[in-house]
Amino acid sequence: MPGFMTNLYEQFILKRPRLVLALLGLVFVFFASFTGNFKLDASSDSLLLESDEDLRIFREVSERYEARDLLLVTYTPKEDLFSETSLSQLKLLRDELKMLSRVESVITILDVPLVKIVGGKLSDVAKNFRTLEDPSVDRDKAKAELLASPLFSDALISADAGTTMLALSLKTNEEFSRLSKLKNKILIKRERGGLNEAEALELPDILADYNQAKARQDAENHQNIEQARSIMAKYQNHGVLYLGGLTMISDDMITFIKKDLVMFGSGVFLFLVIMLTTIFRQPRFVVLPLMSCLFAGLVMVGLLGLVGWKVTVISSNFISLMLILTMSMNVHLIVRYRQLRRDEPDWEQHKLVLEMSRRMALPCLYTALTTMIGFASLVVSGIKPVIDFGWMMTIGLGVTFFTSFTLFPVILILLTRTENAGKQNSEIPVTRALSGFTESHGGKVLILSVLLALVSAFGMSKLRVENSFINYFSESTEIYQGLKLIDDKLGGTTPLDVILKFDDVKEYGEPYAEDDDDFDDFDDFFGEEEGGSSDAWFTDYKISRVKEVHSYLESLPAIGKVLSLASLLRLAEDLNEGEPFDAFELAIINKRAPDELKSSMIDPYISIDNNEARINMRIVDSLDDLRRNELLLQINKDLQEKLGLEPEDFQVNGVLVLYNNMLQSLFRSQIMTLGVVMLGIALMLVVLFRSVNLAIIGIIPNLLAAAIILGLMGLLNIPLDLMTITIAAVTIGIAVDNSIHYIYRFREEFPKHNGDYVATMHYCHANIGRAVFYTAITIIVGFSIMVLSNFIPTIYFGLLIALAMFIALLAVLTLLPKLILLWKPF
């Protein structure tokens, strides 16, 4: 710390400890008052790219085809599904679920139209269908029809007739829907740089209204889900029931995040108490760091509540990270204080604390700044929760540095000087062994490092990005079990659409005119009021195109259930003894069919006004060899090359596309910014050490640690997902701290050891090496606690970061000193 800064620090901080403590108390109370506003968010919207064109299309398609939020209940009865007992229980369950305030309708095998039982052509039975609930229906025939149905088999009933699904359609919250559309519209306009002054002023109010409406809907959904589970519990004696659907998953994710926050925070806190007690054996050096952690953590929680940042599954570990990083900085201060206390027995407490702060301020500042750079790289991802996580940790590190050099020293200076508890060894066995190994076998360290770098490069070439939603959850969770059952028996989980766009010019050779003589027969049949373009829309060209694409999609192993207009056509042709179904008759069905039949069989799959057809499918998400990005690329390619469609003739869209876009965007942004992170850290090291050589030496061990982890992920086929994709930037940002502390101390001690590199290395291992070892163990165990999460990406993130920090620790205490001995930069 420069002399004038030291004087200011001493005058305004250390000489007024009680005043500073009182001011810090006011800061603590202020931010603590906002902790009640601390919010969690696990909605699917939080993981989407607002600027994604596919998201805009997805919302338009969902609105056009009136796609509603669904809760799904799977029911596997103990008795035969079509027995009187099972169907009675299914009816009771359906009727109870219908009574839920958020449920608009419930579709089961009891409610869908049975048309083959009636007999005749589809046009004959369109107004004469029956359902399984009708007492006159033969259950064996109904079972056979449902199992053979192109509409309902592998959707509402499994192929083995052992499991059925109840689809609960949730009511649309008109106010929330209106605000959501308004928010999306204005955010897209802002992204394109088109907001005027009035809209810019209006945006905060719109977002505030939207957040309030969303909070109300989330609360209603939570209550609805709890009530649904209570109803389901009454039927567990009759079979096995699981609850599913995106609404339920989002709600359960909130529960997971809450548990993770409590588990990580309490687990890390308990470990820190044990570690500090074991290492320092003095109450003050246990209590003071814990007070710093508590202060920094609550200030950040209050700050998040104040500014309205919501914690998502991506940022759910920020509290444990804050505790770990605050503790690490405090450990460096304690080790330096104890060393000064041992080396300078005549110094008073004020002098010890001042000198500790003076000597540690600069390296701690630069370690905080370099770690900030690592987390700040997440800000360019374009994904709001990732951006928020980056900002949370960047600001959090500023709070950590501020706390470590205000709260910690002012309390310490108020305490009397005590001597070290027990005999303090000049070094610990691990650091002593590593310094000896580096001196004797430094060449082997270099060779091993080069080999590991080459293997890591090969492993990184095998890295892939995946978003296997089902594999994000532990097998013991209801989410996993429900998704797995739907995947295995009910046609897959993740939805995907292909929208076929028809062009009148391509079909007819000229734009279609509603009064065209070619379509007079429609008017003649339906009558002038009923005829027209809506009936003439059904043509052999459109039907054949839908059938062709439908059949292709069904042929893909990763695709489960496929539903489209072709499903209805297959049903009609089956009724027609295999004869092709006439487009003219389909137009009749569309015009004359009862609304309930039309709404389930036709409306979800065509939009006459937009001259398009929708083919809906579900992906079997649990397939081990499924590559989602490759699947999407294959579908786009085959529709053009195999089926002859032009790019403007179709649109592949859906949740799978949106999540894939998010991951691909994050992957590209992290790859592009990783070089910027390295450059930023290198520049800071150059400024700190005023040496390009030392900057290179400081980065190499940490870059190697990050490369080994990424290479290991590639070799072990561990995919990059929404959390693990940030590992490289986070690892480099955190691990470089130890390099800074080691090099800074080496440079400081080098003249004292008469320019003897080896002697200086041994001394540094015995002193700063101890602090590096303690802080690394703190970080390693702290991240390892994430293994207790129910969210698999969090477990991978914690374990891989812990392993990276262990590798970085070994590299800093072997490779780094060997490079110094070899390069001789001083």
Side-chain angles (χ1 to χ4, degrees):
M1 187 187 298
F4 76 95
M5 292 294 295
T6 302
N7 292 333
L8 289 175
Y9 182 76
E10 182 179 15
Q11 290 296 321
F12 290 99
I13 303 294
L14 298 185
K15 285 190 174 181
R16 294 176 172 82
R18 290 179 177 83
L19 175 61
V20 172
L21 203 55
L23 293 175
L24 290 175
L26 292 176
V27 171
F28 182 83
V29 170
F30 174 78
F31 284 105
S33 66
F34 291 98
T35 55
N37 298 332
F38 182 70
K39 303 294 183 183
L40 306 176
D41 186 10
S43 64
S44 58
D45 285 350
S46 68
L47 296 177
L48 301 177
L49 292 166
E50 281 296 338
S51 59
D52 188 358
E53 179 66 13
D54 285 317
L55 178 58
R56 182 189 63 78
I57 296 171
F58 173 77
R59 286 168 172 160
E60 288 181 356
V61 169
S62 299
E63 184 176 353
R64 186 176 305 152
Y65 292 96
E66 296 184 352
R68 295 181 180 272
D69 290 337
L70 295 175
L71 280 178
L72 306 175
V73 177
T74 64
Y75 176 44
T76 306
K78 293 179 179 179
E79 296 187 21
D80 181 81
L81 176 59
F82 287 85
S83 68
E84 181 66 33
T85 301
S86 295
L87 291 178
S88 296
Q89 293 300 320
L90 179 62
K91 181 179 184 299
L92 291 172
L93 175 61
R94 179 202 64 186
D95 292 344
E96 282 201 67
L97 292 172
K98 275 184 179 179
M99 299 301 293
L100 294 175
S101 59
R102 285 274 290 133
V103 173
E104 183 170 70
S105 63
V106 181
I107 302 298
T108 72
I109 56 173
L110 297 170
D111 309 291
V112 296
L114 301 171
V115 294
K116 291 184 69 175
I117 289 178
V118 177
K121 292 186 177 182
L122 186 60
S123 56
D124 298 328
V125 301
K127 291 189 176 182
N128 193 32
F129 66 86
R130 284 180 281 174
T131 68
L132 185 56
E133 205 167 4
D134 190 330
S136 65
V137 168
D138 186 307
R139 288 180 184 167
D140 289 334
K141 291 183 178 179
K143 177 181 179 180
E145 178 173 341
L146 288 169
L147 289 175
S149 170
L151 289 167
F152 309 123
S153 64
D154 291 327
L156 288 180
I157 184 172
S158 62
D160 61 4
T163 300
T164 188
M165 181 187 289
L166 299 86
L168 285 63
S169 180
L170 303 181
K171 294 177 182 176
T172 300
N173 184 320
E174 298 298 339
E175 176 64 9
F176 176 72
S177 178
R178 181 187 69 81
L179 288 169
S180 181
K181 292 174 185 176
L182 182 59
K183 182 206 73 163
N184 296 333
K185 180 180 179 181
I186 199 165
L187 286 178
I188 290 173
K189 192 173 182 181
R190 184 183 68 174
E191 187 72 26
R192 296 172 179 173
L195 288 186
N196 56 41
E197 184 177 349
E199 290 170 331
L201 292 173
E202 187 183 13
L203 179 58
D205 293 334
I206 293 174
L207 293 178
D209 291 343
Y210 169 80
N211 287 330
Q212 291 176 5
K214 185 177 185 303
R216 288 193 296 269
Q217 177 161 288
D218 288 345
E220 292 172 2
N221 283 335
H222 178 72
Q223 182 180 14
N224 194 62
I225 288 167
E226 291 303 305
Q227 291 172 345
R229 285 191 166 123
S230 297
I231 293 172
M232 291 165 59
K234 295 187 293 186
Y235 294 86
Q236 293 290 355
N237 292 332
H238 300 280
V240 179
L241 292 90
Y242 291 114
L243 187 63
L246 286 178
T247 302
M248 167 264 188
I249 292 173
S250 295
D251 187 74
D252 274 15
M253 285 299 299
I254 295 288
T255 303
F256 288 169
I257 294 172
K258 288 179 179 177
K259 288 181 178 178
D260 283 354
L261 286 171
V262 174
M263 185 73 70
F264 298 161
S266 58
V268 170
F269 193 83
L270 178 62
F271 162 71
L272 294 179
V273 171
I274 296 172
M275 189 202 76
L276 292 169
T277 304
T278 303
I279 295 173
F280 299 120
R281 301 178 186 178
Q282 285 184 296
R284 65 175 58 187
F285 295 129
V286 176
V287 175
L288 285 182
L290 294 179
M291 289 179 65
S292 293
C293 290
L294 179 64
F295 181 90
L298 277 179
V299 165
M300 272 305 298
V301 170
L303 179 61
L304 297 183
L306 175 63
V307 300
W309 274 344
K310 295 181 180 179
V311 171
T312 66
V313 66
I314 294 176
S315 52
S316 62
N317 53 20
F318 94 95
I319 289 181
S320 54
L321 281 170
M322 283 286 296
L323 292 176
I324 291 167
L325 295 173
T326 304
M327 183 58 61
S328 298
M329 194 168 289
N330 277 243
V331 166
H332 277 289
L333 293 174
I334 294 171
V335 170
R336 192 56 180 256
Y337 171 84
R338 283 160 63 93
Q339 180 200 346
L340 290 169
R341 188 177 60 179
R342 183 188 66 240
D343 295 343
E344 306 294 343
D346 298 329
W347 284 5
E348 296 180 352
Q349 184 76 341
H350 180 90
K351 175 70 171 176
L352 286 172
V353 175
L354 175 62
E355 197 63 18
M356 171 201 74
S357 301
R358 186 186 69 81
R359 296 190 184 186
M360 295 304 299
L362 205 54
C364 285
L365 174 63
Y366 276 85
T367 57
L369 291 174
T370 51
T371 307
M372 285 179 181
I373 291 175
F375 282 108
S377 70
L378 305 179
V379 173
V380 300
S381 67
I383 302 167
K384 189 177 186 303
V386 178
I387 294 171
D388 286 349
F389 180 47
W391 281 122
M392 284 178 196
M393 291 310 304
T394 301
I395 297 172
L397 282 159
V399 173
T400 289
F401 180 80
F402 172 80
T403 304
S404 298
F405 283 88
T406 53
L407 182 66
F408 181 86
V410 298
I411 296 179
L412 183 60
I413 208 167
L414 291 172
L415 302 176
T416 59
R417 169 177 172 147
T418 61
E419 296 308 315
N420 296 337
K423 181 181 178 181
Q424 181 174 325
N425 296 324
S426 61
E427 56 187 335
I428 55 178
V430 174
T431 58
R432 182 173 61 247
L434 291 175
S435 65
F437 182 83
T438 302
E439 181 183 3
S440 304
H441 304 285
K444 295 177 181 177
V445 171
L446 293 175
I447 293 173
L448 179 60
S449 298
V450 172
L451 291 175
L452 287 174
L454 293 174
V455 173
S456 299
F458 174 74
M460 285 190 288
S461 68
K462 295 183 173 294
L463 279 173
R464 58 186 177 88
V465 179
E466 274 301 338
N467 60 330
S468 178
F469 200 62
I470 190 172
N471 291 324
Y472 285 173
F473 305 98
S474 168
E475 294 184 9
S476 62
T477 61
E478 183 182 9
I479 291 178
Y480 181 92
Q481 294 169 358
L483 289 176
K484 181 65 174 169
L485 179 65
I486 295 172
D487 246 9
D488 291 343
K489 294 193 172 185
L490 294 169
T493 48
T494 309
L496 184 67
D497 287 338
V498 171
I499 306 298
L500 295 179
K501 304 174 182 179
F502 299 106
D503 187 333
D504 292 333
V505 174
K506 289 183 179 180
E507 182 174 358
Y508 306 118
E510 58 184 6
Y512 163 67
E514 193 169 313
D515 58 354
D516 198 315
D517 291 340
D518 292 341
F519 303 107
D520 285 346
D521 52 349
F522 285 96
D523 295 333
D524 293 339
F525 183 85
F526 291 113
E528 196 166 321
E529 291 184 0
E530 295 188 7
S533 61
S534 64
D535 310 305
W537 186 89
F538 296 93
T539 64
D540 290 336
Y541 172 82
K542 293 184 177 72
I543 289 175
S544 63
R545 179 56 56 87
V546 171
K547 283 183 174 180
E548 190 178 29
V549 176
H550 184 114
S551 297
Y552 160 73
L553 294 171
E554 278 187 327
S555 70
L556 299 176
I559 303 296
K561 185 66 178 177
V562 181
L563 291 171
S564 72
L565 194 62
S567 306
L568 177 61
L569 296 172
R570 289 179 181 178
L571 176 62
E573 289 168 1
D574 187 32
L575 288 171
N576 205 28
E577 298 181 352
E579 292 295 321
F581 193 64
D582 188 83
F584 186 73
E585 190 169 14
L586 185 56
I588 297 174
I589 300 300
N590 180 59
K591 179 62 66 176
R592 298 287 177 83
D595 289 342
E596 54 187 309
L597 183 68
K598 186 180 175 184
S599 64
S600 63
M601 291 186 170
I602 299 177
D603 290 347
Y605 309 112
I606 64 169
S607 174
I608 294 176
D609 291 340
N610 292 280
N611 200 17
E612 66 183 30
R614 171 176 174 252
I615 301 176
N616 173 254
M617 72 207 86
R618 284 180 278 147
I619 308 300
V620 183
D621 198 52
S622 57
L623 287 179
D624 290 335
D625 59 348
L626 179 59
R627 302 289 181 267
R628 291 153 189 82
N629 190 52
E630 294 176 13
L631 174 64
L632 293 173
L633 292 174
Q634 179 188 352
I635 291 174
N636 275 280
K637 180 181 177 182
D638 288 350
L639 289 179
Q640 295 178 63
E641 296 183 359
K642 292 185 177 181
L643 302 186
L645 298 181
E646 298 295 330
E648 63 271 15
D649 292 339
F650 69 93
Q651 175 74 45
V652 181
N653 198 264
V655 172
L656 182 69
V657 174
L658 300 181
Y659 282 137
N660 184 70
N661 289 353
M662 177 270 294
L663 275 179
Q664 298 299 328
S665 172
L666 185 55
F667 178 71
R668 288 191 298 269
S669 70
Q670 287 304 288
I671 292 300
M672 289 188 294
T673 58
L674 193 56
V676 177
V677 171
M678 295 300 301
L679 179 60
I681 292 176
L683 290 175
M684 296 198 66
L685 293 178
V686 170
V687 173
L688 174 63
F689 299 123
R690 295 179 177 83
S691 168
V692 174
N693 291 340
L694 284 178
I696 296 173
I697 290 172
I699 284 179
I700 287 175
N702 309 291
L703 184 60
L704 178 65
I708 289 174
I709 291 302
L710 293 177
L712 184 65
M713 291 178 67
L715 293 173
L716 296 180
N717 204 30
I718 299 173
L720 291 167
D721 55 39
L722 68 156
M723 287 195 66
T724 57
I725 207 166
T726 65
I727 280 178
V730 173
T731 296
I732 293 172
I734 296 177
V736 77
D737 294 359
N738 290 331
S739 293
I740 291 174
H741 281 294
Y742 190 92
I743 295 174
Y744 194 88
R745 180 63 69 85
F746 200 105
R747 186 181 65 176
E748 183 180 296
E749 297 296 335
F750 184 66
K752 300 177 184 178
H753 291 81
N754 301 316
D756 188 328
Y757 278 92
V758 174
T760 306
M761 178 191 72
H762 288 305
Y763 180 86
C764 287
H765 271 65
N767 291 275
I768 191 63
R770 184 192 306 112
V772 166
F773 180 78
Y774 291 156
T775 56
I777 294 300
T778 300
I779 294 172
I780 290 167
V781 177
F783 276 103
S784 298
I785 291 173
M786 293 181 186
V787 74
L788 301 175
S789 175
N790 278 318
F791 195 57
I792 302 302
T794 299
I795 295 174
Y796 275 133
F797 179 80
L799 290 179
L800 290 170
I801 289 285
L803 180 58
M805 295 308 301
F806 177 73
I807 296 170
L809 171 64
L810 293 179
V812 165
L813 295 178
T814 55
L815 178 60
L816 177 63
K818 180 57 185 177
L819 290 173
I820 292 176
L821 297 180
L822 185 67
W823 213 310
K824 291 184 169 50
F826 301 111

